[in-house]
């Protein structure tokens, strides 16, 4: 079944934390993974791009959430919404996982410290800005000497996506029927 989805801006006074990861498609084991943590509000875009070697995409998503929550606490951005395009990670936050329990527990504690923000799923088709920034994070050369990049203006490669977001342009998404 196909549905139309679009990005929803955060309500006035709130920030939106969007995370995504990008794996190097040339490696079988996702040995090169970048992730992006994007905090958005009107006129405000902060991204943390990071390059990780020898990991998997699930761990990259978990680390993106961890670092995003850390940024929220560091910058005292307590009025947030959290959007994740990984249903697996959303499930793990609730049911846990023994392999990743230490970082999942820490994420849950930070969520509590941030006054229990709404953590929700978003379709990957509307998470395109975080995805584009994650691909930047996957480029080892671009993130070698800096982890946090604060953009005073959006980077050129995100402008079309931001324009689509601001106008509420809908995108088709395939979903399984219930």
């Amino acid at each position: 079944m196909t549905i139309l989805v679009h990005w929803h801006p955060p309500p006035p006074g709130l920030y939106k934390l969007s995370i995504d990861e990008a794996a190097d498609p040339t490696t079988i084991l996702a040995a090169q993974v970048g992730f992006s943590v994007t905090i958005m509000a009107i006129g405000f875009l902060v991204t943390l791009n990071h390059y990780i070697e020898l990991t998997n995409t699930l761990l990259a998503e978990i680390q993106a959430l961890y670092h995003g929550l850390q940024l929220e606490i560091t910058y005292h951005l307590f009025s947030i919404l959290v959007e994740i395009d990984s249903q697996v990670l959303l499930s793990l936050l609730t049911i846990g996982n023994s392999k990743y329990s230490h970082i999942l527990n820490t994420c849950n504690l930070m969520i509590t410290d941030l006054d229990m923000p709404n953590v929700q799923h978003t379709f990957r088709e509307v998470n395109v800005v975080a995805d584009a920034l994650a691909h930047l994070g996957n480029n080892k050369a671009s993130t070698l000497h800096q982890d946090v990049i604060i953009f005073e203006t959006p980077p050129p490669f995100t402008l079309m996506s931001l324009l689509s977001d601001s106008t509420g342009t809908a995108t088709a998404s395939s979903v399984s029927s219930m």
Side-chain angles (χ1 to χ4, degrees):
M1 176 167 98
T2 300
I3 62 170
L4 293 177
V5 295
H6 64 90
W7 184 78
H8 298 278
L14 292 183
Y15 297 94
K16 182 177 275 192
L17 169 64
S18 300
I19 66 167
D20 202 8
E21 57 74 31
D24 182 347
T26 62
T27 63
I28 296 172
L29 299 175
Q32 297 175 350
V33 177
F35 65 77
S36 171
V37 172
T38 306
I39 303 170
M40 287 183 265
I42 304 303
F44 182 79
L45 176 66
V46 174
T47 184
L48 179 145
N49 290 314
H50 195 65
Y51 175 86
I52 307 167
E53 290 192 18
L54 302 175
T55 188
N56 62 62
T57 56
L58 175 59
L59 182 56
E61 290 268 3
I62 296 169
Q63 288 184 347
L65 177 62
Y66 171 83
H67 287 289
L69 295 170
Q70 282 287 85
L71 276 176
E72 298 284 348
I73 291 169
T74 299
Y75 288 103
H76 306 286
L77 304 173
F78 291 94
S79 298
I80 64 166
L81 304 170
V82 181
E83 289 191 337
I84 302 170
D85 65 5
S86 169
Q87 291 278 21
V88 173
L89 177 51
L90 282 173
S91 294
L92 292 181
L93 285 170
T94 303
I95 62 172
N97 176 286
S98 60
K99 183 174 182 178
Y100 302 118
S101 62
H102 60 291
I103 193 167
L104 289 169
N105 290 340
T106 302
C107 287
N108 279 320
L109 286 172
M110 286 191 287
I111 288 169
T112 301
D113 289 345
L114 288 165
D115 296 328
M116 303 296 288
N118 186 15
V119 180
Q120 61 193 26
H121 177 260
T122 188
F123 291 97
R124 72 173 176 265
E125 291 85 356
V126 296
N127 205 24
V128 291
V129 174
D131 182 64
L133 293 164
H135 284 285
L136 175 68
N138 194 34
N139 181 342
K140 183 178 183 181
S142 71
T143 58
L144 195 55
H145 299 292
Q146 56 189 15
D147 279 345
V148 178
I149 303 168
I150 299 174
F151 293 101
E152 291 182 19
T153 59
F157 60 89
T158 64
L159 292 177
M160 290 304 294
S161 297
L162 288 169
L163 179 62
S164 293
D165 289 348
S166 67
T167 59
T169 303
T171 305
S173 178
S174 296
V175 296
S176 58
S177 56
M178 307 249 174

